[in-house]
Amino acid sequence: MEVPLISKLLKKANISELPENIPRRGNRFMVFIGALYLRLVGWKMEGNFPNQKKLIIAVAPHTSNWDFPLAVAVMFATGLRVSFMAKSGLFFWPFNKFMTWLGGISVERSKAHGVVGQMVDKFNSQEQLMLALAPEGTRKVVHKWRTGFLQIANKANVPVLLVGLDFKSKRFILGPLCEVSDDFDAELRKALDFFGSVEGKYPHLCDTSGNQ
């Protein structure tokens, strides 16, 4: 495949080169597949990734199974190396190697220091780590969002990048970069204000008013 074709697809999707500190992965074929998918479904990226070695990427609204392939397409097209949390039961042979390759981090919910503690330890042990997660935690309606992602960010001393999946405009919106204080309710309100302007595939499944 020709490089000009890849460049054209990336330009159509409004995807620019990652800054130097961002962890990378993949190859030209993966970039082509991701950019081609975005072109076929008509989605574009808005904004740029910050030049950070460690970051929590909070993606919402999460209302549909279509959210995941869109996120994977952006990951492939940009060459971004992203990790995500998954329960330990999903890491079984022969899928454990695939889950790890895809970026999965096994978490044990029964451990004493919980998921937050495990992820803080993971951040502290890594030189680079981009952790993507859905703050809602489910595709069902969540009337009171949890603050786990903010607690991880605060305790690991990493910023949070708010990312909106806007199905109305077909934009993958890279929003504000937030340094998280220990006032988690106030920090969550800021996040909800941003996500309140983003329309998921099924808007009635996203409630950004419950934590007021």
Side-chain angles (χ1 to χ4, degrees):
M1 86 198 47
E2 305 231 348
V3 173
L5 175 58
I6 298 178
S7 298
K8 183 177 181 180
L9 289 171
L10 292 175
K11 185 175 181 180
K12 286 286 187 181
N14 197 35
I15 292 175
S16 56
E17 187 176 349
L18 294 174
E20 61 179 352
N21 284 328
I22 290 280
R24 294 167 171 78
R25 63 169 297 169
N27 51 43
R28 191 175 298 169
F29 179 71
M30 291 174 63
V31 172
F32 172 75
I33 292 299
L36 178 62
Y37 180 85
L38 293 175
R39 175 60 175 160
L40 291 175
V41 297
W43 275 66
K44 295 183 178 181
M45 191 169 77
E46 178 181 301
N48 297 290
F49 283 99
N51 192 23
Q52 299 281 338
K53 291 185 177 182
K54 298 181 181 181
L55 191 65
I56 289 178
I57 304 174
V59 185
H62 180 36
T63 65
S64 165
N65 284 328
W66 288 105
D67 300 344
F68 184 72
L70 283 168
V72 171
V74 171
M75 179 180 73
F76 279 17
T78 58
L80 179 69
R81 188 170 82 239
V82 179
S83 297
F84 60 92
M85 294 183 292
K87 57 184 180 181
S88 58
L90 295 176
F91 290 79
F92 60 90
W93 189 89
F95 302 109
N96 53 333
K97 289 186 177 180
F98 174 72
M99 287 289 291
T100 302
W101 174 84
L102 196 59
I105 297 175
S106 174
V107 293
E108 291 278 359
R109 298 185 183 277
S110 60
K111 283 192 174 181
H113 63 333
V115 174
V116 171
Q118 291 174 68
M119 294 316 303
V120 171
D121 291 344
K122 194 71 174 180
F123 269 108
N124 291 338
S125 67
Q126 299 288 319
E127 183 178 349
Q128 292 179 311
L129 180 58
M130 301 285 120
L131 177 65
L133 50 77
E136 295 151 286
T138 176
R139 297 186 305 276
K140 299 177 181 179
V141 179
V142 177
H143 298 294
K144 189 173 179 63
W145 293 29
R146 296 181 180 180
T147 61
F149 72 108
L150 298 170
Q151 294 180 45
I152 295 171
N154 175 265
K155 295 179 186 300
N157 194 29
V158 297
V160 173
L161 177 67
L162 303 180
V163 175
L165 284 174
D166 195 303
F167 277 78
K168 184 176 182 179
S169 63
K170 292 189 174 183
R171 293 178 301 156
F172 192 87
I173 306 170
L174 304 184
L177 184 67
C178 308
E179 299 290 343
V180 179
S181 71
D182 56 6
D183 187 346
F184 300 129
D185 289 336
E187 297 294 346
L188 183 58
R189 186 65 255 162
K190 295 176 186 176
L192 292 172
D193 287 343
F194 169 75
F195 289 125
S197 64
V198 181
E199 188 170 306
K201 185 170 179 61
Y202 302 111
H204 65 284
L205 295 180
C206 180
D207 181 7
T208 57
S209 64
N211 291 79
Q212 293 187 24

